[in-house]
Amino acid sequence: MRLKVEPNSALPPYEQLRRQLAQLAGSGELPAGTRLPTVRALAGELGLAANTVARAYRELETSGIVETRGRGGTYVAAGGNHTAQRARELADSYAVQTSRLGLTAEQSLRYVRAALGLIDVRADRHAE
């Protein structure tokens, strides 16, 4: 498993880790049933505090991407990957809400690009 945390990123380390693990699980690179490293092992490997890794694991568990089996470890959830379905639901909701605000599709997409870190909406005068 190739995980990397960028210390100079605007995203906190736990979020960088959470996103990478979610992406690996969503792509099937980490198939259902795969056991993740222990919190301490992964923290040591990445040079992070154990609480940082624990928070990433907790958030993944809350999202249904992983499941913790007590002292048995943390595993990629076997209940199927709901990531794509959840992403579609969120996108649908976002589209409805931004439409109600009177934003055009392009304006809405600019905010999504900014949220993903692809553009700086503050510097992008076309977003307003």
Side-chain angles (χ1 to χ4, degrees), residues 9-27:
S9 173
L11 290 175
Y14 81 88
E15 179 61 15
Q16 293 179 53
L17 183 57
R18 187 203 64 75
R19 284 185 182 191
Q20 290 175 64
L21 289 169
Q23 184 176 22
L24 290 169
S27 72

